[in-house]
């Protein structure tokens, strides 16, 4: 029989799949002997069963009853008892942290009778009625789906009537009246009374947490963070401890290191006379955690000891939530903390230096996505700009955009191409879609542990929090800075997540020092290199030392090739020759298409050959000693001709003026002749080489002559010629034989021994399924995963991404676009089949990938698993691919699989 409920003492941190991250870590802290309030966890299995059937699984209610009874015995109180009530919190807790995306209900068990008992128990009427109004507000919003504004407006009205802006100024009588108001809101908005039966409150809260797994904001967050949709959430039921019992009580969030920079020290926020949600919501401004030493030194000292214990135990930055109840410290949660990209690299190398982890583990503590963030530009000179204010540097980066004051506008403007900065007093989980759409986030309240800061760091989004000197008026859609400077919605502002500064207008950006390091202009050992650059250098050195796969670049010019090499590329995996036919060379392609005779066609090809040869000479020079894979012409020829509509209009207008242009007429006829219903599946790739005599042989000759010239100059060109869109081995054999003949002719003419590998792209399902046959005539395979994805799914990428991909993502058909990350089950299976069958037919067959997936972190891990020899990507993504290739190898060595997260 399945067990659905576990006591905190029965689990451990390795059971996140079953107990969720929060439950597993509460169990771990309990087993470490730390002060954790007693409680129990309902498993993710129960959630999945509930979501599948719409009802709680059989036997779960009885297990909850048994564990609740044990909790009551341990605490010496009964849930919701009128005289001495036990109260509990009901919190979500998925395997992967999803801050603020699912539901929490505190003070479950309070009702009209037990609130009086709580007042006697605590010796404080105000505390009891404050706790009750919090339960009503959370329960109404979370369980009964009542808009939170109803409660917020009532609370605001109560404070206005009292003549205050501070919740703490409301006394017991004020809060008692507010409770009656809240109960009326529940009655009016939900059509039912607030449930007075404590067990009914508990059961409804558990259901609400389960249902919140599929709330729109949770779905959106999972999609953003690539968290699987089928995991479900656990529910943690924990005996309440109270931070709102007075000024000797409070609640806080602590980090064992600064999550923004990685530096060691005392980091976090504390709020006296408050419950936990007050801190992360950012509704009241907190004090720095260091101030707790003056407020309550014994609790502070104990917290410092516990933080050191947890960091040593987890061997990582820990994020901790705690409550102090009348000077007694309680630990409510710990987890490996989210951090900025820079902090991730610094912390990883710091932990190595402290002897807590080795370099393999350090490599797996960082990600390619984080490295990519560090390569983004940063602000340059700001001296000439108006500084509006300064807040906390919650998440680094440089963000510029138009100020918007709600999530709806952020999404709307972003979709129409505008860069926006989301400006709020504080964010809440309902702002997630706007936070994703915005370039950066600015709040006037909250600290480094507020909702805005935590979510922004997790997304790698620039964020400045707690800019208190800025008065944000969301209703009037404006922000006022000191000196009366007003920023209206639509005005451009710039926020610096590294310094916390906010500027009016657009700030110019400059290259990141990490890019300067990769470019070779910043020596990591020099005095100019900061701690971050040194950390990145150490991690990259180790990644390069352990990775099995090589990393090449997609480059079509000498300049691209040079930059790719500086970024660490070990060759070119895709040189697209069609890009060499653009610009002023298009006229020669047009002559080729319009040629009526063999001599006209040969003349057009001969005009193109020296131009191509010059391009290849530049690339071979920059990549001397490294392999260069040159793809023969791939796109349909009509792409080199004018647009059919534009040309038709031009011809018609000329005829209306009696001004015939014979060349335009010939081109228009050619456009009509070459027109195809689906050109991506028409006359392109190898088919061009078969039906247009001399086209591919001209290209092979240009490649061979450039290689011979390079060799004569003392160079070492390593040429690989790639034939695109092969679907059958006969196509490959025909073009390969012609190519071998040309190579032999050039070798004889120049007296240079030329050797070039000839292979093919695998970008059609038929090619993948007949890879064994094709490998008999191919010396290498390069997987063109862009087209392989199109042809496997039956998608025309240019059409489907705009037409219905957003709907597919919204409905969970895709977790992520298959053009962004490899579809392992479909496209990936074809890659695996082709790799296995190709190497079975030709042992040692060189395998690579040159689609955009070659720079995607998750895809790189898959290609490592399949056994490819290299990945190829754009020059800027080469460092990311190097890092992820190293991470894949280190993970395999450690025996825990390959994961890009």
């Amino acid at each position: 029989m399945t067990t659905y409920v576990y006591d905190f003492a029965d689990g451990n941190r390795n059971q996140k799949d079953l107990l969720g991250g929060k439950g597993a870590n509460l169990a771990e802290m309990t087993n470490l002997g730390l002060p954790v309030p007693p409680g129990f966890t309902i498993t993710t299995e129960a959630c999945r069963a509930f979501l599948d059937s719409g009802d709680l699984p059989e036997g779960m209610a009885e297990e909850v009853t048994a564990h609740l009874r044990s909790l009551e015995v341990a605490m010496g109180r009964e849930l919701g008892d009128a005289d001495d009530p036990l109260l509990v919190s009901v919190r979500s807790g998925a395997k992967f942290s999803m801050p603020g995306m699912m539901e929490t209900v505190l003070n479950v068990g309070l009702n009209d009778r037990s609130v009086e008992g709580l007042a006697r128990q605590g010796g404080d009427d105000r505390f009891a009625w404050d706790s009750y109004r919090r339960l009503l507000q959370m329960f109404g919003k979370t369980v009964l789906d009542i808009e939170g504004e109803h409660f917020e407006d009532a609370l605001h009205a109560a404070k206005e009537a009292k003549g205050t802006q501070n919740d703490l100024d409301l006394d017991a009588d004020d809060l008692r009246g507010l409770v009656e108001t809240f109960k009326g809101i529940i009655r009016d908005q939900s059509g039912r009374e607030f449930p007075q039966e404590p067990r009914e409150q508990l059961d409804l809260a558990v259901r609400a947490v389960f249902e919140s797994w599929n709330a729109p904001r949770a779905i959106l967050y999972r999609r953003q963070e690539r968290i699987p949709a089928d995991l479900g959430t656990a529910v943690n039921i924990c005996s309440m401890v109270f931070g709102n019992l007075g000024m000797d009580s409070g609640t806080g969030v602590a980090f064992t290191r600064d999550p923004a920079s990685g530096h060691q020290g005392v980091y976090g926020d504390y709020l006296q006379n408050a419950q936990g949600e007050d801190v992360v919501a950012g509704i009241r401004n907190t004090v720095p955690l260091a101030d707790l030493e003056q407020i309550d030194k014994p609790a502070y000292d104990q917290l410092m000891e516990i933080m050191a214990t947890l960091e040593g135990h987890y061997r990582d930055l820990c994020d901790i939530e705690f409550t102090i109840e009348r000077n007694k410290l309680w630990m409510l949660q710990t987890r490996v903390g989210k951090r900025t990209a820079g902090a991730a690299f610094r912390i990883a190398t710091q932990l190595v230096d402290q002897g807590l982890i080795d370099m393999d583990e350090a490599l797996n503590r960082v990600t390619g996505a984080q490295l990519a963030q560090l390569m983004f530009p940063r602000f340059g000179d700001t001296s000439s700009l108006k500084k509006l204010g300064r807040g906390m540097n919650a998440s680094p980066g440089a963000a510029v955009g138009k100020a918007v004051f709600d999530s709806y506008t952020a999404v709307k403007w972003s979709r129409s191409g505008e860069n926006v900065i989301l400006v709020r007093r504080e964010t809440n989980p309902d702002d997630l879609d706007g936070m994703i759409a915005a370039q950066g986030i600015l709040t006037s309240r909250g600290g480094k542990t507020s909702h805005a800061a935590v979510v922004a760091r997790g997304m790698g989004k620039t964020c400045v929090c707690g800019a208190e000197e800025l008065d944000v008026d969301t209703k009037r859609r404006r922000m006022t800075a000191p000196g009366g400077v007003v920023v209206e919605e639509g005005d451009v502002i710039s926020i610096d997540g590294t310094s916390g500064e906010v500027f009016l207008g657009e700030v110019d950006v400059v290259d990141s020092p990490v890019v300067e390091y990769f470019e070779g202009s910043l020596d990591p050992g020099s005095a100019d290199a900061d701690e971050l650059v040194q950390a990145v250098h150490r991690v990259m050195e180790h990644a390069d030392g352990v990775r099995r796969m090589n990393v090449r670049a997609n480059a079509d010019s000498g300049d691209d090739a040079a930059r790719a090499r500086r970024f660490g590329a070990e060759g070119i995996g895709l040189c697209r020759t069609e890009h060499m036919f653009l610009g002023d060379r298009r006229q020669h392609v047009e002559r080729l298409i319009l040629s009526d005779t063999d001599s006209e066609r040969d003349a057009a090809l001969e005009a193109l050959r020296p131009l191509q040869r010059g391009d290849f000479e530049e690339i071979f020079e920059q990549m001397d000693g490294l392999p260069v894979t040159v793809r023969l012409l791939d796109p349909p020829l009509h792409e080199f001709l004018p647009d059919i509509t534009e040309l038709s209009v031009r011809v018609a207008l000329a005829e209306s003026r009696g001004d015939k242009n014979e060349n335009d007429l010939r081109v228009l006829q050619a456009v009509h002749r070459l027109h195809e219903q689906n050109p991506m599946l028409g006359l392109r790739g190898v088919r061009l080489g078969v039906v247009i005599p001399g086209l591919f042989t001209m290209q092979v000759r240009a490649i061979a002559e450039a290689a011979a010239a390079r060799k004569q100059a003392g160079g070492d060109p390593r040429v690989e010629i790639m034939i695109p869109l092969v679907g059958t081995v006969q196509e490959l054999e025909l073009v390969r034989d012609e190519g071998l003949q040309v190579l032999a002719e050039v070798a004889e003419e120049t007296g240079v021994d030329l050797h070039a590998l000839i292979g093919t792209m695998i970008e059609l399902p038929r090619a993948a399924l007949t890879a064994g046959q094709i490998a008999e005539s191919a010396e290498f395979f390069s997987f063109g995963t862009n087209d392989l994805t199109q042809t496997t799914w039956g998608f025309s990428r240019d059409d489907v991404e705009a037409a219905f991909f957003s709907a597919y993502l919204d409905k969970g058909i895709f977790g992520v676009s298959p053009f962004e990350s490899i579809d392992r089950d479909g496209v990936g299976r074809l890659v695996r089949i082709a790799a296995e069958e190709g190497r079975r037919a030709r042992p040692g067959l060189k395998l690579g990938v040159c689609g955009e997936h070659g720079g995607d972190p998750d895809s790189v891990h898959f290609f490592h698993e399949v056994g490819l020899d290299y990945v190829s990507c754009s020059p800027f993504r080469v460092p990311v691919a190097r890092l992820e290739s190293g991470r894949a190898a280190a993970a395999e060595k450690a025996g825990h699989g390959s994961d890009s997260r």
Side-chain angles (χ1 to χ4, degrees):
M1 181 176 175
T2 303
T3 300
Y4 290 116
V5 185
Y6 289 80
D7 187 86
F8 288 167
D10 296 334
N12 61 66
R13 65 173 174 169
N14 297 320
Q15 292 181 290
K16 291 180 182 178
D17 287 312
L18 181 68
L19 303 178
K22 189 174 295 178
N25 288 322
L26 282 168
E28 191 76 8
M29 287 197 295
T30 299
N31 294 329
L32 286 172
L34 302 182
V36 176
F40 54 90
T41 299
I42 303 173
T43 67
T44 57
E45 287 184 345
C47 177
R48 290 192 293 270
F50 174 82
L51 295 175
D52 287 343
S53 67
D55 206 353
L56 299 176
E58 185 178 353
M60 190 194 106
E62 290 76 10
E63 287 187 64
V64 170
T65 298
H67 280 78
L68 179 60
R69 184 59 193 146
S70 296
L71 180 60
E72 290 173 330
V73 170
M75 299 298 291
R77 303 172 187 165
E78 291 186 8
L79 182 68
D81 180 73
D83 296 319
D84 190 13
L86 169 68
L87 305 183
V88 297
S89 61
V90 180
R91 295 174 180 264
S92 62
K95 176 181 179 181
F96 298 108
S97 176
M98 297 172 56
M101 296 304 114
M102 292 181 292
E103 302 300 1
T104 291
V105 185
L106 304 181
N107 308 324
V108 170
L110 274 178
N111 56 27
D112 291 349
R113 293 180 303 120
S114 61
V115 67
E116 302 287 357
L118 182 65
R120 288 191 296 273
Q121 180 193 102
D124 186 340
D125 283 1
R126 187 198 180 280
F127 146 71
W129 289 99
D130 180 50
S131 298
Y132 195 12
R133 73 89 184 166
R134 290 171 183 271
L135 169 62
L136 291 166
Q137 186 168 356
M138 287 186 182
F139 195 93
K141 184 178 178 183
T142 296
V143 180
L144 301 178
D145 278 335
I146 298 171
E147 286 291 329
E149 287 184 0
H150 294 291
F151 300 104
E152 290 156 15
D153 289 347
L155 177 59
H156 182 70
K159 289 189 288 187
E160 274 199 337
K162 191 78 170 180
T164 182
Q165 295 297 312
N166 193 332
D167 297 3
L168 297 181
D169 290 334
L170 298 178
D171 61 25
D173 287 337
D174 299 323
L175 292 166
R176 189 179 284 109
L178 195 57
V179 162
E180 292 305 314
T181 302
F182 280 8
K183 286 197 290 185
I185 290 170
I186 288 173
R187 185 186 315 113
D188 295 342
Q189 297 297 320
S190 71
R192 63 159 296 171
E193 298 287 345
F194 172 73
Q196 294 291 312
E197 171 55 45
R199 180 57 189 269
E200 183 184 3
Q201 295 176 16
L202 177 63
D203 290 342
L204 289 173
V206 169
R207 283 175 172 266
V209 171
F210 281 162
E211 288 169 348
S212 71
W213 176 255
N214 283 329
R217 69 190 187 209
I219 293 171
L220 183 63
Y221 186 85
R222 287 199 299 272
R223 186 185 311 137
Q224 176 77 12
E225 298 297 311
R226 298 189 185 180
I227 296 172
D230 58 356
L231 297 179
T233 181
V235 181
N236 299 287
I237 295 165
C238 186
S239 50
M240 283 294 304
V241 290
F242 299 97
N244 58 331
L245 267 168
M247 298 307 284
D248 60 354
S249 304
T251 188
V253 177
F255 295 95
T256 57
R257 296 168 191 252
D258 185 352
S261 70
H263 295 137
Q264 291 179 280
V266 180
Y267 297 98
D269 298 310
Y270 183 67
L271 196 55
Q272 286 178 278
N273 198 14
Q275 287 196 317
E277 298 305 301
D278 296 336
V279 176
V280 294
I283 294 169
R284 286 165 55 194
N285 281 335
T286 58
V287 298
L289 182 63
D291 289 6
L292 179 60
E293 185 173 18
Q294 304 303 317
I295 296 169
D296 188 341
K297 185 164 178 23
Y300 174 84
D301 290 342
Q302 185 185 8
L303 178 63
M304 292 300 106
E305 290 177 12
I306 289 173
M307 288 168 64
T309 297
L310 288 172
E311 180 168 287
H313 185 71
Y314 282 86
R315 299 181 304 136
D316 208 343
L317 159 69
C318 289
D319 171 354
I320 296 161
E321 293 181 20
F322 66 94
T323 282
I324 296 173
E325 180 182 281
R326 290 186 171 160
N327 305 117
K328 177 169 176 53
L329 177 67
W330 292 96
M331 305 303 293
L332 303 185
Q333 178 175 328
T334 191
R335 60 192 171 198
V336 171
K338 291 185 180 296
R339 67 209 65 189
T340 64
F345 279 85
R346 289 190 189 97
I347 291 170
T349 52
Q350 287 167 3
L351 293 174
V352 170
D353 294 339
Q354 290 173 237
L356 293 174
I357 62 174
D358 61 19
M359 280 303 297
D360 277 355
E361 180 63 27
L363 184 54
N364 276 308
R365 295 283 181 90
V366 298
T367 68
Q370 290 169 333
L371 180 60
Q373 289 175 32
L374 295 179
M375 296 172 70
F376 292 156
R378 59 178 181 166
F379 285 150
D381 182 22
T382 59
S383 58
S384 63
L385 289 174
K386 173 67 179 176
K387 181 177 171 181
L388 296 174
R390 186 174 197 148
M392 295 186 187
N393 52 334
S395 185
V400 179
K402 294 182 177 180
V404 296
F405 293 89
D406 63 58
S407 284
Y408 173 82
T409 307
V411 172
K412 181 180 177 183
W413 287 20
S414 174
R415 284 177 177 169
S416 55
E418 300 277 10
N419 289 335
V420 300
I421 304 294
L422 179 62
V423 183
R424 304 284 285 162
R425 287 196 185 98
E426 68 277 331
T427 64
N428 63 58
D430 293 331
D431 288 318
L432 180 64
D433 52 355
M435 296 173 76
I436 292 172
Q439 299 297 306
I441 300 141
L442 170 64
T443 71
S444 59
R445 298 178 183 169
K448 287 189 178 182
T449 60
S450 66
H451 175 268
V454 172
V455 174
R457 278 196 297 272
M459 292 194 299
K461 190 83 67 173
T462 299
C463 180
V464 173
C465 282
E468 297 178 24
E469 56 198 329
L470 301 178
D471 180 15
V472 175
D473 187 340
T474 55
K475 290 187 177 178
R476 298 174 68 188
R477 314 186 81 77
R478 59 166 55 175
M479 171 176 71
T480 305
V485 179
V486 176
V487 176
E488 303 283 358
E489 187 159 76
D491 290 346
V492 174
I493 60 173
S494 301
I495 63 172
D496 188 335
T498 303
S499 68
E501 293 172 306
V502 182
F503 299 95
L504 181 64
E506 181 174 349
V507 179
D508 291 333
V509 295
V510 296
D511 275 346
S512 151
V514 174
V515 170
E516 293 175 357
Y517 155 66
F518 283 123
E519 287 271 23
S521 58
L522 179 59
D523 181 353
S526 72
D528 292 332
D530 62 15
E531 182 188 4
L532 174 59
V533 170
Q534 293 166 4
V536 170
H537 172 66
R538 288 176 64 185
V539 172
M540 292 302 298
E541 265 198 332
H542 189 72
D544 288 336
V546 300
R547 62 185 166 92
R548 178 188 58 76
M549 284 194 303
N550 289 332
V551 176
R552 302 189 191 180
N554 300 340
D556 312 323
S557 69
D559 288 344
D560 284 349
R563 184 172 210 205
R565 190 159 190 165
R566 290 196 300 272
F567 272 36
E570 296 155 313
I572 291 178
L574 177 62
C575 174
R576 307 173 187 87
T577 55
E578 60 269 16
H579 288 183
M580 303 171 181
F581 289 165
L582 301 177
D584 57 3
R585 302 180 185 184
R586 192 186 293 263
Q587 59 180 317
H588 299 301
V589 184
E590 193 172 293
R591 283 176 54 204
L592 172 65
I593 295 168
L594 297 179
S595 60
D596 293 324
T597 65
D598 291 350
S599 60
E600 287 180 346
R601 183 189 66 239
D602 292 343
L605 289 170
E606 188 59 28
L608 284 167
R609 181 167 60 87
L611 300 175
Q612 287 246 283
R613 183 177 62 223
D615 293 330
F616 296 137
E617 285 174 351
E618 283 184 23
I619 291 170
F620 293 158
E621 179 182 358
Q622 295 297 337
M623 281 289 164
D624 195 54
L626 296 175
V628 176
T629 303
V630 181
R631 183 179 71 186
L632 302 182
L633 194 64
D634 182 41
L637 289 180
H638 77 85
E639 290 193 7
F640 299 98
L641 295 175
D643 175 74
I644 189 170
T645 303
E646 179 185 319
L647 187 59
S648 297
V649 170
R650 194 163 77 211
V651 169
L653 287 173
E655 288 181 343
S656 70
R657 296 192 301 266
D659 180 19
K660 275 192 176 182
N661 185 314
E662 292 297 332
N663 187 64
D664 279 355
L665 284 172
R666 288 185 69 198
V667 174
L668 183 58
Q669 289 169 357
V671 170
H672 281 292
R673 184 176 75 250
L674 294 172
H675 177 72
E676 297 173 298
Q677 292 299 324
N678 192 339
M680 295 310 294
L681 296 178
L683 181 58
R684 53 169 289 217
V686 68
R687 302 157 195 171
L688 289 170
V690 171
V691 303
I692 301 179
L695 176 60
F696 277 9
T697 55
M698 176 276 291
Q699 290 196 290
V700 173
R701 177 169 282 276
I703 293 167
E705 290 173 349
R710 184 69 197 144
K711 215 163 186 181
Q712 288 170 332
D716 180 20
R718 302 187 182 184
V719 181
E720 299 176 353
I721 298 171
M722 185 159 66
I723 301 165
L725 211 73
V726 164
T728 176
V729 67
Q730 289 85 357
E731 293 171 317
L732 175 61
E733 289 172 342
L734 187 65
V735 175
R736 182 203 62 181
D737 291 347
E738 291 178 350
L740 289 172
Q741 183 178 341
V742 171
L743 287 170
E745 290 171 0
V746 173
E748 185 174 348
E749 292 166 7
T750 60
V752 174
D753 182 21
L754 288 178
H755 176 69
L757 298 181
I758 297 181
T760 186
M761 290 184 82
I762 302 294
E763 49 192 330
L764 295 174
R766 190 181 192 282
L769 295 171
T770 61
Q773 298 173 26
I774 293 173
E776 293 176 1
S777 298
E779 294 175 285
F780 66 87
F781 285 171
S782 181
F783 292 95
T785 51
N786 297 345
D787 275 354
L788 188 56
T789 298
Q790 291 197 94
T791 54
T792 300
W793 280 90
F795 287 157
S796 169
R797 180 174 185 174
D798 292 340
D799 298 321
V800 299
E801 287 191 315
F804 62 81
F805 265 31
S806 59
Y808 269 42
L809 289 165
D810 287 342
K811 296 178 185 301
I813 298 171
F814 293 151
V816 62
S817 164
F819 291 110
E820 181 181 338
S821 193
I822 193 78
D823 159 30
R824 291 183 177 226
D825 296 333
V827 178
R829 187 173 179 211
L830 289 173
V831 171
R832 192 183 296 273
I833 289 169
E836 291 172 354
E837 294 192 1
R839 281 190 169 149
R840 193 176 303 133
R842 183 188 286 262
L845 177 71
K846 185 183 289 189
L847 300 174
V849 61
C850 61
E852 291 178 25
H853 298 99
D856 168 64
D858 189 57
S859 303
V860 170
H861 286 248
F862 173 76
F863 297 135
H864 173 90
E865 292 171 24
V866 173
L868 300 195
D869 296 303
Y870 69 86
V871 296
S872 189
C873 54
S874 66
F876 196 78
R877 298 184 89 183
V878 164
V880 171
R882 287 166 52 201
L883 178 72
E884 289 295 350
S885 182
R887 293 185 68 234
E892 183 180 58
K893 176 182 171 185
H896 51 68
S898 191
D899 186 353
S900 65
R901 261 199 297 266

